[in-house]
Amino acid sequence: MHRPPLTLARWGSFHVGGREVRVEGQPPREVLFTPGSAPALLDPNGTYLVGGMYAQAMEPAPKRGAAPLMLWHGGGLTGACWETTPDGREGWQHFFLRQGWEVVVSDAVERGRSGWMRIPEETCGVPVTLTLENPWERFRIGPGTPQDGRVFEGQQFPADMASWCNFIRGCVPRFTTTDDLTLEAYGALLDRVGPSVVVAHSQGGFFAWRAAQEWPDRVRALVLVEPASTGLAEKVAALAGIPVLMIYGDYIEGDARWPAIRARGLAFADAVRGAGGHVDAVDLPARGIRGNSHMIQMDRNSDDVATLVQDWLVARGLWS
Amino acid sequence: MHRPPLTLARWGSFHVGGREVRVEGQPPREVLFTPGSAPALLDPNGTYLVGGMYAQAMEPAPKRGAAPLMLWHGGGLTGACWETTPDGREGWQHFFLRQGWEVVVSDAVERGRSGWMRIPEETCGVPVTLTLENPWERFRIGPGTPQDGRVFEGQQFPADMASWCNFIRGCVPRFTTTDDLTLEAYGALLDRVGPSVVVAHSQGGFFAWRAAQEWPDRVRALVLVEPASTGLAEKVAALAGIPVLMIYGDYIEGDARWPAIRARGLAFADAVRGAGGHVDAVDLPARGIRGNSHMIQMDRNSDDVATLVQDWLVARGLWS
């Protein structure tokens, strides 16, 4: 589909966060980085910067929106999951830029363009990698495998084999041991950019809840797309002043894990409301929006769901 | 510095390349991806897509340039090294977009936003990571360490400690065992985008020489910024129709490795000329452009060197 040009007043990237780790007493070794180059003596001792995070900030012209809007990706992915869908359409990064928001897309710690981690020393292990087959059922595309090609009725994910392979190529190794560093880095990002609307998907929702509880004055609103987890029960009061939108897709009832994850999410939403907070939980099928997988921002109706998010932000007074 | 807005007619990302690897006979294990989520049974058996590559293509409006211009980064880095300099200036991605080129920035295989690799199965080992101290001398910033803070006289790299840490945060783990996959992926990228001008830095220069020799009809020109290696001697004839610009910075004479690397590069340039090719090798200090480190696209005079590249491309008839 043809879309009009997009004008950027500013655009650039930066890295935030990270800790210094000192290493001593290790033997140096010779490394030939490139065939035909010259060997280098690599001294592994010294200072490492671990746990930094890459962020790309784009400011459209003209600009609208009361604050920057951040897009925090889920586990095993990078910020690229917001950029272009597996079937080549514009993603939510484009959608919200076109509404006039300053959009900040980040790659979580140890993924994508974020920085150094020694493996396994800082990561406490080797990363989890996924087969082509694994996310097919887990992300609620269909039963069986992508090679079978069966999808749930009305499926909105672009599940042809070419698009599925594009999606899998965009997945990256993922550690399950770096949550503390990642939360710290999101804190550093909010500190640098300033109070922002945080739109988070899946594992990103876990960090978004926690970040909002740690630094409530830095979060203007939370939009949680199938959050994989909740905030801390003992800190619900911190969320009283932050409007929250939670969105769940289709095919959850028949899934092995999502009924429990959603039930815990909705119970946490009740707890936030009990502490005086405002939470809207949207079950897309109940609104007549059917066929959404776990990868809602990549589904063929991704612009429709983004419009729902945009309307909610307008209703909260965050865009005019 | 204030710069005018930039209008993009199109912009998006995609993944190319990669091989299928089948795994069988491994035991499944339970993984809790996110605290407070639900455990998932992870079956490591199945099909992996290894060796894919992320690329981001931006097309400015209005567009100029006879072909797309690709930016291929060096070892231990990602495409972000072209986006914004460590001291926050616009990088070469912006520079060439502002000239009207369609610019394609990629993250080499197993780095940045490129996809899955099982560690160590597909990568044949754990990656090389660098200390804060290591590249200071190796990239010809100054003697000693960044903590000492001594830089070579006239140094153009933004070597204050804050900028240096920004640079290091942008470095990523790097395998020395994935060259074949990486070359394949660059081939897939050239195949998808079509004949392009390839601007490559350091290790990227190794891949650029080899890619031009493998797929000469897909490369309109090579711009090699301190290439870490050369092409294959037995295939110099393949380069006869591709104009080449080689650029070297300052402080090479006193370095442990760069006199040899440059000498081999210049000898290879002679061989290409001997086969009928056109190679211009620019020694920046000899042109009166002094103080450049190995990270020329990040140095404070990065726009001056980019202008030299642009003028050369104009002289080759590739921009009008």
Side-chain angles (χ1 to χ4, degrees):
Chain A
M1 182 172 20
H2 181 73
R3 305 263 180 148
L6 178 65
T7 298
L8 300 176
R10 287 186 313 114
W11 141 56
S13 60
F14 53 86
H15 285 75
V16 293
R19 302 175 185 169
E20 289 196 2
V21 174
R22 292 281 308 170
V23 171
E24 293 175 357
Q26 299 296 311
R29 64 190 173 110
E30 193 167 85
V31 176
L32 181 63
F33 285 114
T34 307
S37 180
L41 191 69
L42 191 69
D43 182 354
N45 303 296
T47 313
Y48 291 85
L49 293 182
V50 307
M53 186 160 67
Y54 167 85
Q56 181 185 58
M58 290 181 163
E59 182 185 317
K63 185 164 81 160
R64 301 184 73 174
L69 184 149
M70 294 188 176
L71 295 170
W72 295 6
H73 65 75
L77 292 161
T78 73
C81 74
W82 305 107
E83 194 173 27
T84 298
T85 66
D87 54 343
R89 291 172 293 112
E90 293 194 347
W92 283 18
Q93 186 175 15
H94 294 73
F95 180 92
F96 289 105
L97 282 166
R98 290 188 182 281
Q99 310 306 312
W101 295 90
E102 179 184 349
V103 175
V104 179
V105 171
S106 46
D107 290 356
V109 165
E110 116 275 315
R111 295 179 218 163
R113 291 171 162 184
S114 295
W116 292 111
M117 297 280 275
R118 285 186 307 145
I119 299 170
E121 294 89 339
E122 263 84 53
T123 58
C124 304
V126 298
V128 176
T129 52
L130 295 184
T131 60
L132 187 67
E133 293 85 6
N134 176 283
W136 186 262
E137 286 195 342
R138 198 155 55 82
F139 290 178
R140 309 194 315 271
I141 310 301
T145 69
Q147 290 89 341
D148 298 338
R150 285 178 297 146
V151 298
F152 293 128
E153 191 185 337
Q155 177 62 253
Q156 290 281 3
F157 190 90
D160 61 283
M161 198 60 178
S163 296
W164 182 253
C165 287
N166 285 341
F167 168 60
I168 293 292
R169 286 191 190 94
C171 297
V172 296
R174 172 225 188 117
F175 297 88
T176 57
T177 47
T178 55
D179 290 351
D180 291 348
L181 281 169
T182 305
L183 183 58
E184 271 182 39
Y186 278 125
L189 180 63
L190 288 165
D191 201 48
R192 165 146 178 171
V193 175
S196 297
V197 171
V198 174
V199 178
H201 173 243
S202 194
Q203 186 202 27
F206 167 74
F207 294 115
W209 279 125
R210 301 289 169 103
Q213 291 184 313
E214 284 296 314
W215 307 286
D217 60 326
R218 289 278 183 274
V219 178
R220 297 290 302 273
L222 287 179
V223 176
L224 306 176
V225 181
E226 297 211 347
S229 185
T230 67
L232 296 167
E234 63 271 28
K235 289 193 179 178
V236 283
L239 299 166
I242 301 171
V244 181
L245 173 63
M246 300 169 79
I247 298 174
Y248 294 94
D250 209 339
Y251 318 115
I252 286 184
E253 289 71 16
D255 190 73
R257 298 161 65 244
W258 275 98
I261 298 171
R262 181 173 63 177
R264 279 199 287 270
L266 296 178
F268 188 73
D270 277 341
V272 174
R273 289 186 196 108
H278 177 106
V279 186
D280 293 310
V282 172
D283 179 58
L284 290 176
R287 292 260 190 122
I289 301 176
R290 299 184 189 282
N292 283 101
S293 73
H294 180 52
M295 298 305 305
I296 290 173
Q297 73 271 44
M298 293 180 167
D299 288 342
R300 280 189 294 260
N301 63 347
S302 54
D303 277 358
D304 298 339
V305 182
T307 299
L308 183 154
V309 173
Q310 171 68 12
D311 291 346
W312 183 87
L313 292 168
V314 171
R316 300 282 84 66
L318 291 165
W319 186 92
S320 61
Chain B
M1 179 173 18
H2 180 73
R3 304 265 178 146
L6 178 65
T7 298
L8 300 177
R10 287 186 313 114
W11 139 57
S13 61
F14 53 85
H15 286 76
V16 293
R19 302 175 186 168
E20 288 195 4
V21 174
R22 292 280 310 171
V23 171
E24 293 174 357
Q26 298 296 311
R29 63 188 173 112
E30 193 167 85
V31 176
L32 181 64
F33 285 113
T34 307
S37 180
L41 191 69
L42 192 68
D43 182 355
N45 302 297
T47 313
Y48 292 85
L49 293 184
V50 308
M53 186 160 67
Y54 167 85
Q56 181 184 60
M58 290 180 162
E59 181 184 318
K63 185 164 82 160
R64 300 184 73 173
L69 184 148
M70 295 188 176
L71 296 169
W72 294 7
H73 65 75
L77 292 161
T78 73
C81 74
W82 305 106
E83 193 172 28
T84 298
T85 66
D87 55 343
R89 291 172 294 110
E90 293 193 347
W92 281 19
Q93 187 176 13
H94 294 73
F95 180 92
F96 289 104
L97 282 167
R98 289 189 182 284
Q99 311 307 312
W101 295 91
E102 177 183 351
V103 175
V104 179
V105 171
S106 46
D107 291 356
V109 166
E110 114 278 312
R111 297 179 217 162
R113 291 170 162 186
S114 295
W116 293 110
M117 295 281 274
R118 286 185 308 144
I119 300 169
E121 293 89 339
E122 262 84 53
T123 57
C124 304
V126 298
V128 177
T129 53
L130 295 184
T131 61
L132 188 65
E133 294 85 4
N134 176 283
W136 186 262
E137 286 195 341
R138 199 155 55 82
F139 289 178
R140 308 193 316 270
I141 311 299
T145 69
Q147 291 90 341
D148 298 338
R150 285 179 298 145
V151 298
F152 294 128
E153 190 184 338
Q155 177 62 254
Q156 291 280 5
F157 190 89
D160 61 284
M161 198 59 177
S163 295
W164 183 252
C165 286
N166 285 341
F167 168 60
I168 293 291
R169 285 191 190 94
C171 296
V172 296
R174 175 227 186 112
F175 297 88
T176 56
T177 47
T178 54
D179 289 352
D180 291 347
L181 281 169
T182 305
L183 183 58
E184 270 181 39
Y186 279 126
L189 179 65
L190 288 164
D191 201 48
R192 167 150 178 166
V193 175
S196 297
V197 172
V198 174
V199 178
H201 173 242
S202 195
Q203 187 202 27
F206 167 74
F207 294 115
W209 279 126
R210 301 289 169 104
Q213 292 184 313
E214 284 295 315
W215 306 285
D217 59 328
R218 289 278 183 273
V219 177
R220 296 291 301 273
L222 288 179
V223 176
L224 306 176
V225 182
E226 297 211 346
S229 187
T230 67
L232 296 167
E234 62 270 30
K235 290 193 179 179
V236 285
L239 299 165
I242 301 172
V244 181
L245 173 63
M246 302 169 79
I247 298 174
Y248 294 94
D250 210 339
Y251 317 117
I252 285 182
E253 288 70 15
D255 188 75
R257 300 161 63 246
W258 275 97
I261 299 171
R262 182 174 61 177
R264 279 199 286 269
L266 296 177
F268 188 74
D270 277 341
V272 175
R273 289 184 197 108
H278 177 107
V279 185
D280 293 310
V282 172
D283 179 58
L284 291 176
R287 290 261 190 122
I289 301 176
R290 297 183 190 283
N292 282 102
S293 73
H294 180 52
M295 298 303 307
I296 289 173
Q297 74 270 45
M298 293 181 168
D299 288 341
R300 280 188 295 259
N301 63 348
S302 54
D303 277 358
D304 298 340
V305 183
T307 299
L308 183 154
V309 173
Q310 171 68 13
D311 291 346
W312 183 86
L313 292 168
V314 171
R316 299 284 84 67
L318 291 165
W319 186 92
S320 61

